[in-house]
Amino acid sequence: MNENIAKALAVLPDKPGVYLMHDASGKVIYVGKAVVLKNRVRSYFRNLTSHTVKVKALVSKVAEIETIVTDSEEEALILECNLIKKYRPRYNIMLKDDKTYPYLKVTLAEDFPRIYVTRRLVRDGSKYYGPYADAGAMHATVKLLRSMFPLRTCRKMNQERPCLNYHIKRCLAPCAGLVSKAEYAAMIRSVCMVLDGRTAELERDLKQRMQAAAENYAFEEAARLRDQLAAVKRLDEQQKAVTGGGDMDVVGYAKDDTGICLQIFFVRTGKLIGRENFFLPDGGDSRQEVLTAFVKQYYNDASFVPKEIVLPDLPEEDETAVLTEWLSGKAGRKVELIRPQRGTKRELLQLADENAGKLLEERLRKGKISLKTEEEAAEELQRALNLPNPLERMDCFDISHTQGSETVASMVVFKSGKPSKKDYRKYKIVSAEGKPDDFKSMQEVVYRRYKDYEDLPSLVVIDGGKGQLSSALEVIRGLGLHDLPVIGLAKREEEIFTEGSHESILLDRESASLHLIQRIRDEAHRFAITYHRKLRGKRNLRSVLDHIEGIGPKRRQALWLKFKSIDAIKAASVEELADTESMNYPAAQKIYDFFRMDLPDKAEVLKN
């Protein structure tokens, strides 16, 4: 035990609070809470032989301990959740993997609310649903709601005439004043009922409103409500009734050699309305510890807390009491953590456990994961390439063009085996524009990247064989970077070429190291081709629209921002084109007519 630790242990307060453990570099590697800080923190440094492997590894890296005293254990719990979210310590159980799960936001503070996907929770009077771990299911929900209800999607509310969505019955056109606030608010209440799982109540409400509209001879409104009622009934039939009533979340748990899966079933008013899955690596923690961490992290951000949370294992008794008090405060009513021994809830919990286990089996069977973590894969690659230093950062380069035009390069970065998207860079190549020359393009991009010696990586990966590798090495070594490892990856046989060796390296097809280097190569290719397509689309748009009278740079840019491609502009109606910023109806009509002009006439225009 070093001197700093001994001093910190001697002055620990006899109060509730949070403790942060730092490594030698000052990085926070663990955050925890305690009823009595002095007792909890000192327990890490007593009887080391009885600790788990994970705790032993943690203690061996602790260089400094910081404590924050709170007034209560509940306050310490809230602070612990926020600090874990902020620092993402290595030795804490982490529910999320370097991303923020999305929410559905209903902008109730607006006169005519919208519904859209967001990753930020802002206290602005809006209602949030989520978080959703399955983004595909979430987008399917949005699509379903917009097919059931004519919700507005535009941001501008002062329009002289409604857009195409109004004419195809997909919007009530509040932007043009064609619907009252009361009528629109009634529709938004129906949307929230669907998201809350209150379909039976919604069916009664829609039926009453439909009958009232028919009695008032508002037959168009009655027909719209009839269609919504039919859609809600279909949705209701798809939802499985599992209990006699009430709201609950049921958390299933499964574990194997690949890691841990948590599956949460959402039961609203007695019906199973959805589920989400969370995967995390196995850090040697017990099921009780994992579930406790899950409850803290998931419900710290959740927009809704049900009356009951069903778990296969409850936290320790004092921890359960604190969590229950905290969750009840968030929900504004009593919330219980329960572990059922029999009955319907027990059967539902077993079903969630079985589903979580099947998901782990499926992931392994489909090869979606390796048994090694990203860091272990990077260590394996380091050994395979016989490199002296850990692969803390890898830069990978790729070139993309179409017969030499719009030549671009991409650089993607992986840190400790994981993508670091904030460090990605894209380059517009000038030295080889107009003629295909991948070697010259590669030399330009590596020169621009390494000429200032900033943030040098542990390894440079060139997408290509010996030729691309030699071109890159000529520049990199010419810059004086003689110790920077550089390799080339040829796609055909996944051969790795190294400097000064005539023999290529072939990694095991099932190895984590090969999967890692394939991932970084594929990511560089994706990033390069996406940028190239964007530039090519802009060029095509510019070359075609230049021949249409009245379409200058400003309108061309506005059309590109809205439609993204020539094909989308071709398919657009006059109304959609006119609705674009900077456009008017006559200019929109000219674009519309141009793309529908007979081929000989169009050829004559383009020639001129």
Side-chain angles (χ1 to χ4, degrees), residues 168-304:
I168 62 174
K169 310 297 184 185
R170 297 298 293 269
C171 180
L172 297 178
C175 59
L178 299 183
V179 63
S180 67
K181 290 183 182 179
E183 184 183 350
Y184 195 91
M187 181 178 66
I188 290 297
R189 283 196 299 273
S190 299
V191 170
C192 292
M193 283 182 180
V194 172
L195 291 171
D196 289 332
R198 294 155 52 198
T199 51
E201 183 181 344
L202 176 58
E203 283 182 37
R204 290 193 298 269
D205 180 62
L206 288 173
K207 185 177 285 187
Q208 290 172 2
R209 288 163 54 195
M210 179 182 69
Q211 291 171 347
E215 289 170 3
N216 293 325
Y217 303 105
F219 297 117
E220 188 173 342
E221 171 67 8
R224 187 170 62 82
L225 291 169
R226 178 204 61 202
D227 294 341
Q228 289 178 8
L229 178 59
V232 172
K233 284 182 176 179
R234 287 195 300 272
L235 179 65
D236 190 39
E237 290 169 0
Q238 295 169 8
Q239 294 174 345
K240 181 183 178 183
V242 292
T243 67
D247 299 337
M248 73 174 79
D249 287 350
V250 182
V251 183
Y253 173 97
K255 174 182 173 182
D256 65 9
D257 292 338
T258 68
I260 295 168
C261 176
L262 295 169
Q263 177 154 119
I264 178 169
F265 284 175
F266 303 112
V267 179
R268 300 294 180 263
T269 61
K271 292 183 179 179
L272 180 60
I273 67 167
R275 65 180 184 175
E276 288 182 9
N277 312 310
F278 298 88
F279 296 96
L280 55 155
D282 180 14
D285 304 281
S286 68
R287 182 168 72 170
Q288 184 186 54
E289 290 172 323
V290 172
L291 290 167
T292 301
F294 170 81
V295 171
K296 291 178 183 178
Q297 293 184 44
Y298 181 81
Y299 291 103
N300 186 48
D301 288 337
S303 56
F304 175 78

Side-chain angles (χ1 to χ4, degrees), residues 96-155:
K96 301 177 183 178
D97 185 16
D98 291 333
K99 61 177 175 286
T100 303
Y101 289 114
Y103 295 81
L104 287 184
K105 179 177 181 178
V106 184
T107 59
L108 296 180
E110 297 178 342
D111 291 337
F112 297 94
R114 294 171 293 144
I115 178 171
Y116 60 88
V117 177
T118 183
R119 293 181 184 271
R120 295 177 61 243
L121 273 73
V122 182
R123 297 185 182 277
D124 58 359
S126 299
K127 190 169 185 179
Y128 294 86
Y129 293 90
Y132 292 88
D134 186 347
M138 178 201 60
H139 286 294
T141 300
V142 175
K143 186 176 180 180
L144 173 66
L145 289 172
R146 287 180 176 161
S147 68
M148 292 169 62
F149 303 100
L151 297 159
R152 80 175 177 98
T153 57
C154 57
R155 296 185 180 183

Side-chain angles (χ1 to χ4, degrees), residues 406-440:
E406 304 296 350
T407 304
V408 300
S410 68
M411 180 192 77
V412 301
V413 177
F414 275 39
K415 291 185 175 179
S416 298
K418 299 178 184 178
S420 178
K421 294 195 175 183
K422 67 178 182 180
D423 295 305
Y424 285 17
R425 297 291 182 269
K426 51 193 178 185
Y427 301 85
K428 197 170 182 180
I429 300 299
V430 295
S431 60
E433 182 58 31
K435 53 186 182 300
D437 192 335
D438 287 357
F439 298 160
K440 196 170 185 179

Side-chain angles (χ1 to χ4, degrees), residues 361-532:
E361 292 175 10
E362 184 180 344
R363 286 214 314 167
L364 184 59
R365 186 173 64 253
K366 290 183 177 179
K368 289 185 177 179
I369 57 169
S370 167
L371 295 181
K372 288 185 169 61
T373 65
E374 290 91 343
E375 290 184 0
E376 290 171 333
E379 292 171 2
E380 184 181 292
L381 181 60
Q382 177 197 348
R383 292 193 296 271
L385 298 177
N386 196 26
L387 297 176
N389 299 315
L391 299 181
E392 295 180 355
R393 172 176 174 143
M394 293 189 290
D395 292 357
C396 183
F397 296 90
D398 188 26
I399 306 296
S400 181
H401 59 80
T402 301
Q403 296 180 344
S405 65
E406 304 296 350
T407 304
V408 300
S410 68
M411 180 192 77
V412 301
V413 177
F414 275 39
K415 291 185 175 179
S416 298
K418 299 178 184 178
S420 178
K421 294 195 175 183
K422 67 178 182 180
D423 295 305
Y424 285 17
R425 297 291 182 269
K426 51 193 178 185
Y427 301 85
K428 197 170 182 180
I429 300 299
V430 295
S431 60
E433 182 58 31
K435 53 186 182 300
D437 192 335
D438 287 357
F439 298 160
K440 196 170 185 179
S441 300
M442 187 63 72
Q443 288 185 324
E444 178 183 335
V445 68
V446 296
Y447 174 78
R448 289 166 62 180
R449 165 65 179 92
Y450 298 118
K451 63 180 179 179
D452 298 322
Y453 287 57
E454 292 181 355
D455 297 323
L456 291 179
S458 312
L459 175 68
V460 177
V461 181
I462 303 298
D463 184 14
K466 292 181 179 179
Q468 284 91 337
L469 176 62
S470 299
S471 300
L473 281 169
E474 183 180 340
V475 171
I476 292 172
R477 299 299 180 240
L479 290 170
L481 301 172
H482 300 292
D483 297 324
L484 181 59
V486 185
I487 64 170
L489 178 62
K491 190 170 185 178
R492 184 175 180 181
E493 298 293 336
E494 306 292 15
E495 292 179 279
I496 296 176
F497 296 98
T498 57
E499 184 178 13
S501 175
H502 296 293
E503 298 294 328
S504 63
I505 298 173
L506 290 174
L507 299 177
D508 189 320
R509 289 286 179 181
E510 303 301 321
S511 67
S513 54
L514 179 61
H515 294 164
L516 172 61
I517 205 163
Q518 286 173 330
R519 279 182 64 210
I520 191 171
R521 187 268 317 284
D522 292 344
E523 180 69 350
H525 180 68
R526 179 199 66 79
F527 196 51
I529 202 166
T530 300
Y531 183 41
H532 168 68

